[in-house]
Amino acid sequence: MPKRLLFSGLLMASVFGTSAQAALVEYSFNDADFEDGAVLSGTFTWDTDTNAITAFDIETTLGSVLAGSTYDSADIGAFSAFDANFIDFNSSSSSGGGRVRVLVDTSSLGASSIGTSLFFSSSNGGFYECATTTTCTTFREGTGSGFLTSAFADTTSVPLPAAGWLLIAGIGGLGMMRRGRS
């Protein structure tokens, strides 16, 4: 009986002791030019488990309409938002306070898009940048060119939460109680 209990305990520890991995897909902007001569470049990371953007690092260069800006999720106050047909990347006020909107079908984002090119919507040149995050009176549009490429992002293991270890301890305790009764 002790060998069976030891074996089942080791089996449960090996099953519950493994780490889970989040499926992250990194998208890169390619050939994304603005009508005023500026360029949109950078990457963002999409979590396929939560269907959310987990990180972004995007830059626009100086053009005839707007100065260049940086959109970085590491900046306090920067954020992203998305809907079925677009993704917004908003910079913090210390980085200029602008917004880039990328017109893309967000349901096509995920692991199934690995190795394919996702093209922007044809309206507004596929993407545009506004001078502020609130109103879009001063803006520049894309040229209609450009696309997103994707690849699996480097991921780190997610450790087993404490609840898993509590479950293992509880099942072990029930086993010990049952053994004590027989």
Side-chain angles (χ1 to χ4, degrees):
M1 188 69 154
K3 287 182 182 179
R4 189 182 312 164
L5 185 61
L6 178 64
F7 176 73
S8 61
L10 288 173
L11 179 65
M12 289 180 65
S14 67
V15 169
F16 287 108
T18 59
S19 299
Q21 289 215 269
L24 300 177
V25 179
E26 184 173 86
Y27 289 90
S28 300
F29 291 94
N30 296 281
D31 300 326
D33 301 323
F34 287 102
E35 291 180 331
D36 71 345
V39 175
L40 169 67
S41 63
T43 61
F44 68 92
T45 305
W46 182 265
D47 185 335
T48 60
D49 293 335
T50 61
N51 287 328
I53 295 169
T54 59
F56 57 92
D57 185 11
I58 298 168
E59 280 188 35
T60 58
T61 60
L62 174 67
S64 61
V65 176
L66 293 174
S69 292
T70 300
Y71 302 86
D72 189 345
S73 57
D75 287 346
I76 296 174
F79 65 95
S80 64
F82 64 94
D83 196 341
N85 302 310
F86 68 85
I87 304 170
D88 278 346
F89 299 100
N90 298 275
S91 69
S92 64
S93 56
S94 63
S95 297
R99 175 183 74 201
V100 168
R101 177 167 281 185
V102 178
L103 304 170
V104 64
D105 177 10
T106 56
S107 67
S108 62
L109 299 176
S112 62
S113 69
I114 297 296
T116 63
S117 296
L118 298 176
F119 293 91
F120 306 122
S121 168
S122 59
S123 60
N124 293 98
F127 53 91
Y128 57 92
E129 181 178 27
C130 302
T132 67
T133 58
T134 53
T135 61
C136 199
T137 54
T138 304
F139 66 96
R140 58 182 170 193
E141 293 183 344
T143 60
S145 66
F147 55 95
L148 294 170
T149 55
S150 56
F152 280 113
D154 287 336
T155 59
T156 56
S157 295
V158 178
L160 180 68
W165 295 115
L166 286 173
L167 175 67
I168 292 170
I171 292 172
L174 289 173
M176 297 282 232
M177 287 175 44
R178 182 174 180 191
R179 182 173 179 219
R181 289 183 186 163
S182 57

